Amino acid sequence: MMRHQDLHPSVDEVVALHGGDATRLVQILRDLQEGQGWLAPPVVTELARKLGLSRARVEGVAAFYSFLHLEPVGQYRVLFSDNITDRMQGSEALLAYLSEKLWVEKGKVSEDGLLSIDTTSCTGLCDQGPGLLVNGWAIPRIDQERLDQIAQLILARQPIAQWPDELFRIEDNIRRQDTLLGHGLQPGEAIRAAIARAESNQGDRPVSERSWREGIPAATPGPAATLEEIKRSNLRGRGGAGFGTGLKWEACRNAPGETHYVVCNADEGEPGTFKDRVLLTRHADLVFEGMTVCAYILGGGRTTTHGFLYLRGEYRYLLEPLNECLARRRRDGLLGADICGRTGFDFDIEIHVGAGAYVCGEESALIESLEGKRGIPRNRPPYPVTHGYLGQPTVVNNVETFCAAALVAKEGGDWYRAQGTAKSAGTKLLSVSGDCERPGIYEYPFGVTVRQVLEDCGARHTQAVQVSGPSGTLIDASEFDRRIAFEDLPTAGAFMVFDETRDMFDVVRNFVHFFAHESCGFCTPCRVGTAMMRNVVDKIHAGRGAQHDVEEICRLQKVMHLAAHCGLGHTACNPMRDVMQRFRPAIQRRLKSLDFEPAFDLDGALAVARQMTGRDDAKAHL
Amino acid sequence: MAEAGKLRVATTSLAGCFGCHMSLLDIDERLFALLEKVEFDRTPLTDIKHCGPCDIGIIEGGVCNAENVEVLREFRKNCKILIAMGACAVTGGLPAQRNHLDLGACLQEVYLTEPGLVNGQIPNDPELPLPLDQVHPLHEVVKVDYFIPGCPPSADAIWKFLTDLIAGRTPRLGHGLIEYD
Amino acid sequence: MNMDVRPSFLLDGEEIPFEPGQTVIQAALTAGHYIPHLCYHPEFVPHGSCKLCTVKANGRPAAACTLPAQAGLEVESETEELNDLRRTLVQMLFAEGNHFCPACEKSGNCVLQALGYDLGVMTAGFRHFFLDRPVDASHPDILLDFNRCVLCKLCVRASEEVDGKGVFSLAGRGISRRLIVSAESGRLADTDIAVTDKAVEVCPVGVIIRKHIGFQTPIGRRRYDVRPISAQALEDAPRKPEARHG
């Protein structure tokens, strides 16, 4: 495994490596930091000058991403994954253990500058947690023994490149596979099928003459034939929103532009989701194949096309294997010029690595990040299909969507839509974690009941399931016959199981903190609302809550729901909404009063004065 | 208890400058009309030390120490309607400008390490109220029913507010009467 | 072309004509109808972040400053629900920053304050964050008081687009989002800002303050002391239709 980070490239070298291209700013900052540990003020100044950007702009971008540091950090930066599933696996106690062992306070750098310990949003290792990142490299299955080993390596100042590979070994844990995971496609097969479908219909008949009634979309000439298959398949986006993939591709294909962009959203940040990690590990060829098919459809020899895969920073360890896969595909004529020998079919894919920002999973924020900016969702319209990357027509789809599209290109739309339900064609990958015997990846045809999944994964005494992560839906035991499908329980894939021993207030508090941490801060309702929500929930957690606070939560939810700029702000209210509906006693029983309690701890607010005066009489307390 | 037909009103100043009370007095001759409708319980104008059962409590000033909290609690307990009057009561105001300073460091500097101090000591007499680490507006400590912003609110704003309230109308201050400065 | 067939949409039941390319707020202001707003400025591409101008268009909430005007659209703005939302947003901004109006040179000329007056906001209501935001007084002619920042990005936009300098930028995320200046020292004095820059003039609140001219107009006789913002905004609105949009 390659975990190089001991090179110290200069600003000049890194800028040159990226062709002096300011749209690659996030990648440049990542590379600089990977060599230098942090982004020192003179480095930012020099970089801004080299790229012809204002210094404030560069600093603003760097300060947006959690994994970019403008302050000195430890030589070793240990970040414990802080999803609720990590907590259920003991992450908080483990963090405290390591802090104590290495004499460093959470959130601080040790005095000798050797290390820092902190938490980070879900690292996507929920089925083998608790997870952590050391200098960006993922380590699963943390326990005391492994922490002892890590502590020793840190104290010995062992370069990460020399740490035992075993520490970094991440399992795929595929528990159930269906047509996607069991596809058996060889690299290039789907692309060749798409080309063959186009060439078998070289006739001059215009698109308008295609025969729908006879069910022969194959009569459509050129790359549009495969687009028709995608449309016929009823494939819908797997990122959660479920927009029709064929419609999206068609709208993008029809949009005028010099270059059409194909972007794979591998910024799998929704807590509890890790199926894209497995697809990228096991089926990278299928992902790239789907992207290439998309490019074939979008470009069709008329315009140039280019691809990006936006890989979340937490999956940094996948970068080299993915780049190797891309290199192999270039060698095999599956990427680059004249793909599969078809003259003029030119397409290539480059990988951008994120830097710790959940909001970049929103497609327009992702595009902003690809352009080297802060990941702030754009105002829409216009939509990315017409004005996306650099203002050009852009398709952004989830990893799983591209995989499914590759299968459709090969097997046809009818084959695909025969699986699943009428409104939800095909299969869905679920990332199952939490209280069950067999966490991991489960692929089902759409329409499977929650109960079935619970049975298959060995869940017992289940109290609740969080479907599609914090931004999704929390359901209780009375709803386990509901189905995973766009028409019932739509999901991006997360499936977190909570048994009867869990306090649902802890669950919702974890999610509320998550959204406050990940809000981009662009719009008032989300920036201020998520932070206020966090404060209120913490107040209730501290045993100082009152009915007044519950009313304030409702008020904040209303504002965020009505006025937030993007899906993050809208869905940030979902966990609280669901817990209030389904597990209200979990909140009520924590309230101190049914009326009003002060916003802060009155007696605690006197602690400093008590200490300074040495008083402890009755009047020194409230 | 109030005379028949009159509302009993208590007022006090916490961490404030009494400017809001001065503004209340600035309603001038309208005070006579007001006194036909209300009578005063604890106020800086009367010699009543503790607030008894009242219809309306009006408080200026923010909450900066333990005594402020006790007085505020007493008002909340006894007043059917509690009004935060003025910028300090509504937002923390001027006293809250200390909120970005560390209280411990402040006390240390003022009483112990300030050059020129001889045998400095941080006052610790139990009669002195202990300061809170930050100054807060009233609504962060008790439930507040109405707010009159301003530093101070103008006499006209106070008059309009009180006459609305006494008449049983929801008080509304229009343009020129709502002022935050 | 017959001017009578200009397209129009409905705003609170009244017909508002518009030019293609206009947003709902541009068309409304031009036609003499006020929609409360904070981060929108007629001379700049709409930003859409403060959400004060949220309306309901065909029943769906949207920011009027970024919503393209479309023929037949039915827009609601002056409703209790939406004004309640706007009041809450103003309250959230007051609770987020440290807004001590009595000591602010911008008082009376401040858009946030004027919105509070006009919407009848009597208190922030929420718990104040009391964030620590040190003042930058390094520049001889300009004071930066970050305590009052509402993150509207107008100074960032003005400095980049009009002044061609890039003196300001926003950094951070969530509640830690903040205004920064373009200098390694972090001090305004070390940037190339000039007191005549558009960025200095455009701040709607009291963050960017010109020194030496304080309190030239006495409190009580300032812009929004004289006239509520709902009336002032219409007076300032460009009368001829403009067609800028994002």
Side-chain angles (χ1 to χ4, degrees):
Chain A
M1 191 189 280
M2 301 166 72
R3 289 182 298 276
H4 61 81
Q5 59 167 205
D6 308 313
L7 311 163
H8 294 270
S10 67
V11 173
D12 269 335
E13 284 165 334
V14 173
V15 169
L17 189 70
H18 291 277
D21 182 356
T23 67
R24 301 189 57 90
L25 180 57
V26 177
Q27 303 311 300
I28 292 170
L29 289 167
R30 275 199 65 102
D31 285 357
L32 275 172
Q33 181 173 285
E34 206 157 284
Q36 307 189 347
W38 67 295
L39 300 161
V43 170
V44 175
T45 306
E46 193 187 344
L47 178 59
R49 201 174 49 237
K50 294 260 154 62
L51 293 176
L53 299 172
S54 88
R55 191 189 185 284
R57 161 90 189 277
V58 175
E59 185 183 343
V61 170
F64 182 84
Y65 296 92
S66 290
F67 295 163
L68 296 176
H69 310 290
L70 291 159
E71 304 278 331
V73 291
Q75 191 183 332
Y76 295 90
R77 298 173 298 285
V78 182
L79 291 174
F80 282 78
S81 178
D82 196 27
N83 186 25
I84 185 67
T85 53
D86 296 292
R87 290 191 179 193
M88 284 154 59
Q89 294 167 110
S91 63
E92 288 162 296
L94 288 165
L95 187 153
Y97 175 79
L98 189 67
S99 294
E100 206 165 304
K101 193 173 174 83
L102 293 175
W103 287 81
V104 55
E105 206 180 318
K106 177 182 176 249
K108 302 249 169 80
V109 182
S110 62
E111 275 181 24
D112 56 1
L114 181 62
L115 85 154
S116 59
I117 299 178
D118 212 332
T119 53
T120 187
S121 298
C122 180
T123 55
L125 298 167
C126 322
D127 59 334
Q128 47 204 302
L132 60 71
L133 302 174
V134 180
N135 294 4
W137 300 95
I139 302 182
R141 296 181 299 278
I142 293 304
D143 55 18
Q144 283 199 5
E145 202 180 315
R146 279 162 85 82
L147 285 183
D148 289 342
Q149 193 183 357
I150 289 168
Q152 231 169 21
L153 290 162
I154 289 175
L155 290 173
R157 292 175 160 70
Q158 189 82 247
I160 298 216
Q162 293 164 27
W163 289 22
D165 282 351
E166 197 283 322
L167 270 178
F168 301 90
R169 191 169 49 79
I170 290 167
E171 306 291 343
D172 291 339
N173 289 335
I174 293 175
R175 310 288 185 181
R176 186 186 195 281
Q177 63 178 39
D178 212 298
T179 50
L180 198 154
L181 291 173
H183 63 86
L185 243 59
Q186 293 304 307
E189 235 181 299
I191 303 171
R192 288 192 192 95
I195 292 173
R197 186 175 287 111
E199 285 175 346
S200 68
N201 297 286
Q202 282 292 336
D204 306 313
R205 281 189 295 162
V207 174
S208 56
E209 273 182 36
R210 66 180 182 241
S211 172
W212 280 101
R213 208 160 296 158
E214 294 153 33
I216 323 173
T220 309
T226 299
L227 177 60
E228 288 305 321
E229 291 299 328
I230 303 282
K231 284 163 71 180
R232 277 182 77 77
S233 74
N234 284 343
L235 173 62
R236 296 169 68 173
R238 296 297 192 245
F243 193 81
T245 305
L247 287 178
K248 185 186 271 188
W249 292 13
E250 184 171 51
C252 186
R253 177 182 151 89
N254 292 341
E258 282 167 27
T259 305
H260 284 60
Y261 288 95
V262 180
V263 177
C264 178
N265 183 348
D267 191 46
E268 186 174 46
E270 188 70 40
T273 317
F274 46 87
K275 46 108 188 160
D276 294 342
R277 160 171 63 75
V278 175
L279 286 174
L280 293 167
T281 307
R282 279 259 188 124
H283 300 283
D285 266 301
L286 195 64
V287 180
F288 296 138
E289 192 98 357
M291 292 176 70
T292 311
V293 167
C294 180
Y296 179 61
I297 290 172
L298 298 187
R302 303 167 308 154
T303 69
T304 55
T305 54
H306 189 73
F308 291 102
L309 183 134
Y310 189 94
L311 182 70
R312 76 181 301 221
E314 289 81 347
Y315 296 167
R316 162 70 185 83
Y317 72 96
L318 288 173
L319 179 62
E320 281 79 13
L322 287 170
N323 272 327
E324 279 164 27
C325 179
L326 289 174
R328 174 171 47 71
R329 291 179 69 86
R330 282 181 203 112
R331 282 197 303 275
D332 294 348
L334 301 175
L335 277 177
D338 303 333
I339 291 172
C340 291
R342 197 180 158 90
T343 312
F345 180 15
D346 304 343
F347 177 65
D348 211 329
I349 297 170
E350 56 182 308
I351 300 174
H352 273 229
V353 185
Y358 165 74
V359 71
C360 288
E362 196 279 343
E363 61 176 8
S364 66
L366 187 150
I367 291 170
E368 288 282 297
S369 184
L370 279 179
E371 291 181 359
K373 301 176 190 160
R374 295 177 303 136
I376 298 205
R378 292 177 175 173
N379 287 309
R380 284 154 301 164
Y383 293 91
V385 283
T386 57
H387 297 77
Y389 180 72
L390 302 180
Q392 297 295 308
T394 304
V395 157
V396 183
N397 271 128
N398 181 262
V399 174
E400 191 181 347
T401 314
F402 282 119
C403 289
L407 294 190
V408 173
K410 173 67 172 58
E411 310 289 350
D414 288 333
W415 169 82
Y416 193 78
R417 73 172 180 186
Q419 309 164 70
T421 72
K423 287 184 177 160
S424 309
T427 65
K428 184 75 195 92
L429 266 60
L430 299 179
S431 318
V432 177
S433 64
D435 295 313
C436 63
E437 280 168 16
R438 292 175 296 280
I441 300 295
Y442 291 73
E443 183 189 3
Y444 292 98
F446 269 113
V448 65
T449 63
V450 170
R451 193 177 304 285
Q452 181 68 51
V453 182
L454 288 171
E455 206 167 287
D456 292 351
C457 71
R460 279 181 236 282
H461 309 293
T462 305
Q463 175 182 203
V465 179
Q466 184 77 39
V467 179
S468 203
S471 71
T473 314
L474 178 71
I475 60 168
D476 65 30
S478 70
E479 300 168 276
F480 290 170
D481 289 320
R482 292 182 66 180
R483 294 175 185 280
I484 301 293
F486 292 107
E487 60 271 30
D488 189 358
L489 285 169
T491 179
F495 191 100
M496 289 185 270
V497 182
F498 306 104
D499 73 17
E500 288 163 358
T501 66
R502 305 295 174 187
D503 184 339
M504 296 313 290
F505 183 85
D506 293 336
V507 175
V508 77
R509 179 164 168 260
N510 178 257
F511 294 164
V512 165
H513 273 251
F514 167 75
F515 284 118
H517 182 254
E518 296 296 345
S519 166
C520 79
F522 173 79
C523 73
T524 313
C526 179
R527 179 183 70 246
V528 188
T530 53
M532 284 182 166
M533 191 83 99
R534 179 192 59 201
N535 291 347
V536 177
V537 169
D538 282 355
K539 184 186 174 208
I540 297 174
H541 176 74
R544 295 186 287 102
Q547 189 59 33
H548 174 84
D549 298 302
V550 175
E551 284 155 19
E552 188 163 307
I553 288 171
C554 295
R555 194 162 162 233
L556 290 170
Q557 282 178 333
K558 201 172 159 196
V559 170
M560 286 159 69
H561 198 74
L562 200 58
H565 180 63
C566 77
L568 190 153
H570 295 140
T571 55
C573 317
N574 291 2
M576 211 19 143
R577 176 203 65 195
D578 289 350
V579 165
M580 285 226 212
Q581 267 174 19
R582 293 169 170 90
F583 299 96
R584 204 176 181 92
I587 298 172
Q588 282 173 315
R589 69 184 174 211
R590 293 225 179 210
L591 299 183
K592 186 176 178 189
S593 111
L594 294 178
D595 183 24
F596 182 96
E597 284 296 320
F600 59 99
D601 172 12
L602 288 171
D603 192 57
L606 290 177
V608 176
R610 273 196 300 269
Q611 194 208 336
M612 297 302 288
T613 57
R615 279 177 55 186
D616 200 26
D617 54 284
K619 284 188 171 176
H621 287 276
L622 280 167
Chain B
M1 281 283 108
E3 269 176 55
K6 282 196 177 183
L7 295 171
R8 198 164 172 85
V9 177
T11 75
T12 193
S13 176
L14 305 178
C17 68
F18 285 91
C20 297
H21 276 83
M22 297 307 289
S23 202
L24 170 63
L25 294 179
D26 261 353
I27 65 175
D28 296 334
E29 74 284 358
R30 288 171 290 189
L31 262 175
F32 295 109
L34 184 64
L35 283 171
E36 284 173 19
K37 307 271 188 184
V38 307
E39 61 179 27
F40 286 104
D41 190 90
R42 171 180 173 163
T43 80
L45 318 169
T46 61
D47 200 23
I48 302 170
K49 297 279 187 272
H50 288 282
C51 174
C54 284
D55 297 290
I56 300 170
I58 303 174
I59 299 184
E60 77 159 85
V63 184
C64 87
N65 63 32
E67 186 196 27
N68 293 159
V69 174
E70 300 289 5
V71 173
L72 181 57
R73 281 174 169 170
E74 182 182 291
F75 267 67
R76 178 68 277 182
K77 207 172 121 197
N78 286 292
C79 302
K80 292 177 201 160
I81 293 172
L82 194 65
I83 302 169
M85 176 167 67
C88 302
V90 175
T91 71
L94 184 72
Q97 301 309 297
R98 78 156 157 94
N99 283 359
H100 66 282
L101 302 174
D102 179 75
L103 176 64
C106 255
L107 291 173
Q108 179 134 2
E109 186 175 335
V110 172
Y111 292 108
L112 299 176
T113 59
E114 173 82 7
L117 275 180
V118 184
N119 296 328
Q121 193 199 342
I122 296 175
N124 59 0
D125 190 313
E127 284 306 306
L128 293 172
L130 285 185
L132 300 169
D133 56 3
Q134 289 201 319
V135 180
H136 295 265
L138 305 189
H139 71 267
E140 294 185 13
V141 179
V142 299
K143 192 175 162 202
V144 175
D145 301 301
Y146 296 98
F147 300 83
I148 315 177
C151 186
S154 68
D156 288 346
I158 296 173
W159 173 250
K160 170 77 165 71
F161 199 95
L162 290 181
T163 47
D164 276 356
L165 200 68
I166 290 165
R169 293 187 295 266
T170 302
R172 298 223 187 277
L173 303 182
H175 180 73
L177 293 180
I178 302 182
E179 304 252 281
Y180 303 158
D181 55 13
Chain C
M1 286 291 286
N2 182 352
M3 288 307 284
D4 291 335
V5 296
R6 270 176 76 192
S8 67
F9 61 89
L10 284 181
L11 175 63
D12 293 323
E14 290 199 44
E15 227 164 272
I16 309 289
F18 67 92
E19 302 290 325
Q22 275 190 318
T23 61
V24 164
I25 207 169
Q26 286 166 344
L29 289 172
T30 307
H33 289 262
Y34 175 68
I35 297 173
H37 56 271
L38 173 57
C39 72
Y40 170 72
H41 188 295
E43 292 169 38
F44 293 92
V45 172
H47 190 232
S49 63
C50 77
K51 302 297 174 191
L52 259 293
C53 70
T54 300
V55 293
K56 280 196 172 176
N58 293 345
R60 288 169 62 101
C65 70
T66 55
L67 178 68
Q70 287 170 52
L73 209 60
E74 285 186 32
V75 182
E76 291 170 74
S77 175
E78 275 301 309
T79 65
E80 194 45 42
E81 183 193 24
L82 290 169
N83 279 331
D84 205 45
L85 167 75
R86 291 165 185 150
R87 265 188 290 276
T88 308
L89 290 171
V90 169
Q91 289 181 306
M92 289 165 91
L93 288 168
F94 269 106
E96 178 190 27
N98 302 312
H99 299 276
F100 182 45
C101 298
C104 181
E105 156 59 18
K106 199 62 180 268
S107 193
N109 293 325
C110 168
V111 175
L112 178 66
Q113 188 190 57
L115 281 163
Y117 293 173
D118 213 30
L119 290 162
V121 173
M122 309 295 274
T123 171
F126 296 101
R127 177 181 180 177
H128 290 249
F129 283 84
F130 293 125
L131 300 171
D132 191 13
R133 293 173 166 181
V135 169
D136 178 351
S138 62
H139 195 280
D141 299 317
I142 302 161
L143 173 77
L144 279 188
D145 190 337
F146 298 105
N147 289 293
R148 306 159 181 167
C149 187
V150 291
L151 305 163
C152 68
K153 217 182 165 190
L154 275 170
C155 59
V156 180
R157 294 182 268 165
S159 187
E160 279 174 6
E161 295 165 23
V162 182
D163 308 327
K165 291 184 181 175
V167 169
F168 298 101
S169 183
L170 293 178
R173 209 164 75 188
I175 200 72
S176 308
R177 196 168 203 240
R178 64 197 178 273
L179 187 64
I180 57 168
V181 301
S182 207
E184 198 173 304
S185 65
R187 289 159 23 112
L188 188 66
D190 298 326
T191 69
D192 53 354
I193 196 167
V195 77
T196 49
D197 280 0
K198 183 76 177 172
V200 176
E201 170 207 316
V202 81
C203 179
V205 292
V207 179
I208 308 175
I209 297 282
R210 283 181 63 187
K211 292 182 177 177
H212 319 303
I213 57 161
F215 298 97
Q216 273 183 351
T217 311
I219 297 279
R221 276 194 253 149
R222 296 181 171 194
R223 197 172 158 83
Y224 302 115
D225 294 331
V226 178
R227 189 184 278 120
I229 192 169
S230 48
Q232 186 65 50
L234 290 179
E235 190 157 308
D236 300 343
R239 281 296 150 208
K240 58 177 198 305
E242 23 134 20
R244 282 185 196 236
H245 69 110

